[in-house]
């Protein structure tokens, strides 16, 4: 099962390598990993998307907590959260097809961020299902390039049970 | 104006304040400033002959004394030579701080002479590691390193020291407290879990305590013995737990696992409640996981949450210090037990295990050749209490584990997790430094002794009366045993015909050399060698065909043992 983990770590050299090494050394899977500083410049936040059965996920979380440089690890599978991914996608769009590509971009509320005679670059934001749907729809025009951030996540302030998280 | 110290002086002063009295090392260009400052320090430095020896010596020192072991090596090859020792200590959770020299800060990353990224290399085999970039943080980093090494699940911590920082000067400020927001090991057991554990223990008809290295590491031996005796629970141990419980005790049921005793593995198979303390259920202990302790509830006490539910499903997890947990569990059990008569309740179970013990004791047959098991029995008989046994890895290690009667904690030094050949001799040397009055014996094979034999020179130079008992079968015996049993006798690369004359070798180093080739000489010569005030090698020519039994083949269930 897919899990999104939120990991607060000390913002110091080598921390990313410790996390990445933990996953590779123990044969865990990373689908995506995101890291940037938080409001506190001494702390970075990682969003890690991973998958595995219950026992593996438990080990991943425990092993992450065991790293001396990790401050807090939360599994978002247990919480209601907002998930977003951003994607830049460059699609072939000559004069004949530009209109159709733009219509699809409009449906998904993508932004056009670059344009040339033969292609359009779109910026899309949404859950992974949404970005995947955009890719599926644009595939027939010919996708020249894609870059994706991987999932970012933040828990919702009010959980479904009405409790403040 | 406060007095300024060089980085080298700060390092030595910090080590001193952390309680270090002795450390092991080998100089080189990147650490020469530290050695320069060492002349004015009260710390005792043992100059080894190979960096791997320095790390194993620090490891042996730590295991024997319970203190943090310390070593210092230079950059590049000095640091990479230390890696095997670090990985060995990591696998066995041994508290240790390793200082490595590093090229000067401006050169880092330039592929400078004797530069390696040792922090990168040792990331997966240290509890934590540091590259010190700011001299004002040196003392604090060292303080943290020692704190991390000795608290929680202990382990090796490496501190990499660029040469220019050792030369530069700054004000020395010793941080009185260590605070790390991201590290806070839990020592106190959860009372709810303890109550659940106690309820299971009161219900159990066939309870069993399985102890691991954590019992020795947390000095939980006495607390464990108290529980075992009061509630009449038999005790088995992993390889790493040996010496945590006296082998002479009626509740002692031996070592479990691949070369465990029949009765010990039987106990693990038939028990209805395992109280596992300070063990990680390694593959060598559990055998085939799917059938491991099928009818048992498991209470698992370990300070490291990742050890719990990693390999086996657990009914009651207790993440806490082994000693604190056992002490509190005693109280909770006492309260739960009320009028239960444990001696009567567990009599049938103990009788059954004793029946197995009588029927399938650890044994060997005599045939006129010297049997290695006999040698260890003789050693066990001759050795005074508190004798420290170090081993190499392989048959010598297993025979020692099976046949030596341990009575005192911290008298068993063996590379359990990593299985490092060449560990024993330097570890024995380190232990002898920690315990100058104890007899320290390294039980070795003729193969493994040669992996760090150079430390004989260190031993002689420092007048350390370490004894090396070589069980010489001119073979890499354990691999040969596997070849015989599982590879149709295809003895590739396990026969060592070019062995040196170990007696002459001992003498060349300035130690005493003894050779035993007939069974009739065993007791007398061994007694003479052990009572010598000097270091000695005792070369015992054992039966080359002898194998370690019982044996659970890799991947088989614990009750599928080969007996002969």
């Amino acid at each position: 099962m897919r899990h999104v983990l939120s990991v607060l770590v000390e913002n110091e050299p080598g921390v990313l390598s410790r996390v990445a090494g933990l996953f590779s050394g123990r044969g865990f899977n990373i689908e995506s990993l995101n890291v940037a500083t938080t409001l506190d410049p001494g702390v970075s936040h990682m969003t890690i998307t991973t998958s595995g059965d219950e026992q593996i996920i438990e080990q991943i979380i425990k092993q992450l907590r065991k790293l001396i440089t990790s401050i807090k690890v939360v599994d978002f599978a247990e919480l209601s959260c907002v998930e977003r991914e951003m994607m830049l996608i460059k699609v072939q769009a000559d004069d004949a097809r530009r209109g159709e590509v733009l219509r699809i971009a409009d449906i998904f509320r993508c932004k056009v961020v670059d344009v040339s005679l033969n292609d359009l670059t779109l910026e899309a934001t949404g859950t992974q299902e949404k970005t995947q749907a955009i890719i599926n729809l644009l595939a027939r025009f010919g996708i020249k390039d894609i870059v994706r951030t991987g999932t970012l996540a933040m828990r919702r302030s009010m959980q479904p049970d009405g409790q403040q998280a | 104006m406060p007095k300024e110290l060089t980085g080298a002086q700060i390092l030595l002063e910090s080590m001193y304040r952390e309680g270090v009295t002795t450390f092991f090392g080998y100089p080189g260009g990147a650490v020469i400033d530290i050695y320069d400052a060492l002349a004015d320090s009260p710390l005792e430095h043992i100059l080894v002959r190979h960096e791997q020896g320095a790390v194993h010596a620090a490891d042996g020192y730590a295991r024997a004394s319970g203190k943090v072991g310390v070593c210092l090596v230079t950059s590049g090859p000095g640091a990479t030579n230390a890696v095997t020792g670090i990985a060995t200590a990591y696998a066995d959770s041994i508290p240790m701080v390793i200082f490595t020299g590093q090229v000067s800060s401006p050169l880092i990353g330039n592929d400078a002479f004797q530069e390696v990224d040792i922090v990168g290399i040792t990331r997966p085999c240290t509890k934590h590691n540091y590259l010190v970039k700011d001299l004002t943080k040196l003392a604090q980093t060292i303080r943290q390193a020692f704190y991390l090494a000795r608290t929680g699940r202990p382990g090796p911590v490496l501190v990499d020291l660029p040469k220019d920082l050792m030369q530069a000067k700054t004000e020395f400020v010793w941080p009185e407290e260590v605070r790390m927001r991201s590290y806070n090991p839990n020592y106190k057991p959860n009372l709810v879990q303890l109550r659940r554990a106690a309820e299971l223990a009161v219900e159990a008809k066939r309870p069993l305590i399985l102890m691991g290295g954590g019992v020795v590491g947390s000095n939980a031996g006495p607390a464990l013995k108290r529980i075992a005796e009061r509630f009449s629970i038999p005790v088995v141990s992993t390889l790493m737990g040996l010496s945590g419980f006296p082998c002479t005790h009626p509740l002692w049921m031996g070592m479990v696992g691949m070369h465990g005793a029949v009765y010990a593995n039987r106990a693990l198979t038939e028990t209805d409640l395992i109280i596992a303390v300070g063990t990680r259920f390694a593959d060598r202990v559990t055998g085939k996981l799917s059938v491991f302790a099928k009818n048992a509830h498991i209470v698992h006490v370990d300070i490291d949450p990742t050890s719990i539910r990693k390999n086996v499903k657990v009914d009651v997890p207790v993440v806490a210090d082994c000693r604190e947990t056992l002490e509190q569990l005693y109280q909770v059990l006492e309260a739960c037990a009320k009028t239960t008569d444990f001696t009567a309740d567990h009599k049938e179970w103990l009788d059954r295990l004793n029946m197995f013990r009588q029927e399938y004791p650890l044994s060997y047959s005599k045939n006129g050749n010297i049997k290695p098991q006999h040698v260890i029995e003789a050693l066990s008989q001759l050795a005074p209490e508190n004798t420290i046994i170090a081993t190499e890895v392989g048959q010598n290690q297993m025979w020692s584990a099976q046949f030596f009667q341990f009575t005192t904690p911290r008298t068993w030094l063996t590379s359990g997790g990593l299985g490092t050949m060449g560990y024993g001799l330097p570890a024995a040397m380190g232990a002898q430094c920690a315990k100058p009055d104890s007899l320290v014996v390294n039980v070795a094979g003729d193969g493994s002794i040669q992996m760090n034999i150079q430390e004989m020179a260190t031993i002689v130079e420092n007048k350390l009366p370490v004894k090396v008992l070589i069980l010489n079968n001119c073979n890499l015996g354990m691999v040969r045993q596997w070849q015989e049993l599982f590879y149709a006798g295809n003895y590739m690369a396990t026969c060592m015909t070019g062995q040196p004359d170990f007696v002459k070798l001992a003498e060349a180093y300035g130690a005493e050399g003894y050779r035993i080739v007939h069974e009739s000489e065993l007791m007398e010569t061994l007694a003479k060698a052990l009572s010598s005030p000097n270091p000695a090698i005792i070369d015992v020519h054992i039966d080359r065909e002898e194998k370690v039994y019982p044996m659970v083949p890799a991947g088989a269930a614990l009750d599928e043992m080969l007996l002969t």
Side-chain angles (χ1 to χ4, degrees), chain B residues 18 26 118 141 193 229 234 271 273-274 302 312 410 423 444 448 464 484 500 549 560:
Chain B
E18 283 293 342
Y26 203 101
I118 196 64
T141 305
Q193 301 289 33
E229 286 174 344
T271 176
L273 173 68
I274 298 175
D302 202 292
V312 299
R410 298 193 177 279
Y423 167 79
S448 47
L464 299 166
E484 178 176 335
Y549 286 119
E560 297 166 11

Side-chain angles (χ1 to χ4, degrees), chain A residues 10-14 17-18 26 40 42-43 55 58-59 62-63 65-71, chain B residues 90 119 123 126-130 133 148 153 180-183 304-312:
Chain A
E10 298 285 352
N11 181 12
E12 56 184 50
S17 162
R18 286 180 204 282
R26 294 186 181 271
D40 176 352
V43 178
Q55 195 197 2
E58 182 182 323
Q59 265 301 311
K62 284 175 168 178
Q63 293 286 355
R65 286 187 177 138
K66 189 174 164 179
L67 290 177
I68 306 296
T69 42
S70 77
I71 301 166
Chain B
Y90 186 62
V119 168
R123 217 167 261 142
T126 49
K127 180 169 174 180
H128 194 55
N129 57 18
Y130 297 92
K133 290 180 165 170
L148 287 173
R153 179 176 176 176
M180 298 173 76
R181 61 178 164 187
S182 53
Y183 176 76
D304 180 1
T306 67
S307 290
I308 290 170
R309 271 204 293 265
K310 186 168 71 178
N311 298 330
V312 299

Side-chain angles (χ1 to χ4, degrees), chain B residues 26 49 53 61-62 77 94 161 218 240 275 280 284 350 412 414 424 439 442 482 534:
Chain B
Y26 203 101
R49 295 299 183 269
Y61 184 94
I94 304 305
L161 306 164
S218 70
M240 285 301 298
I275 302 173
R280 58 193 170 92
R284 287 298 192 258
L350 284 168
W412 168 242
T414 201
L439 172 62
N442 175 38
W482 282 55
N534 302 314

Side-chain angles (χ1 to χ4, degrees), chain B residues 395-523:
Chain B
Q395 290 182 317
N396 62 81
Q397 178 186 32
M398 291 302 134
W399 286 320
S400 303
Q402 291 177 331
F403 287 90
F404 195 89
Q405 302 277 302
F406 296 95
T407 53
T408 317
R410 298 193 177 279
T411 55
W412 168 242
L413 323 175
T414 201
S415 171
L418 198 68
T420 308
M421 289 171 74
Y423 167 79
L425 184 63
M429 172 173 97
Q432 187 79 78
C433 290
K435 301 278 174 187
D437 300 325
S438 293
L439 172 62
V440 181
V441 182
N442 175 38
V443 180
D446 52 295
S448 47
I449 188 61
Q450 293 183 77
M451 283 214 180
N452 271 318
I453 188 95
Q454 77 286 344
E455 297 310 328
M456 280 305 294
T458 315
I459 286 169
V460 171
E461 182 177 280
N462 290 281
K463 300 190 171 60
L464 299 166
V466 171
K467 308 295 182 288
V468 182
L469 181 61
I470 302 178
L471 302 174
N472 188 343
N473 56 9
C474 290
N475 269 289
L476 298 174
M478 187 58 96
V479 180
R480 185 188 154 91
Q481 172 167 343
W482 282 55
Q483 289 172 332
E484 178 176 335
L485 297 174
F486 311 119
Y487 292 84
N490 186 18
Y491 300 123
M492 279 303 295
T494 44
C495 184
M496 291 190 151
T497 48
Q499 299 299 47
D501 179 329
F502 287 109
V503 172
K504 280 189 188 161
L505 189 65
E507 287 163 3
Y509 276 115
E512 294 174 7
Y514 299 86
R515 182 172 292 120
I516 302 174
V517 292
H518 298 294
E519 206 183 333
S520 56
E521 336 165 271
L522 177 64
M523 277 314 236

Side-chain angles (χ1 to χ4, degrees), chain B residues 41-68:
Chain B
S41 162
L43 300 179
E44 182 193 20
H45 172 263
I46 306 284
L47 172 63
V48 297
R49 295 299 183 269
H50 186 289
E51 287 90 351
Q52 188 187 350
V55 190
H56 290 324
D59 176 313
Y61 184 94
R63 292 192 209 218
S65 66
K67 290 169 63 180
V68 178

Side-chain angles (χ1 to χ4, degrees), chain A residues 84-103:
Chain A
R84 289 293 180 272
E85 175 181 58
M86 191 172 112
M87 170 173 74
L88 296 176
I89 182 165
K90 187 179 284 184
V91 193
Q92 286 190 16
D94 52 21
D95 294 344
R97 295 174 164 203
R98 191 169 296 128
E100 183 59 17
V101 171
L102 284 171
R103 249 193 303 282

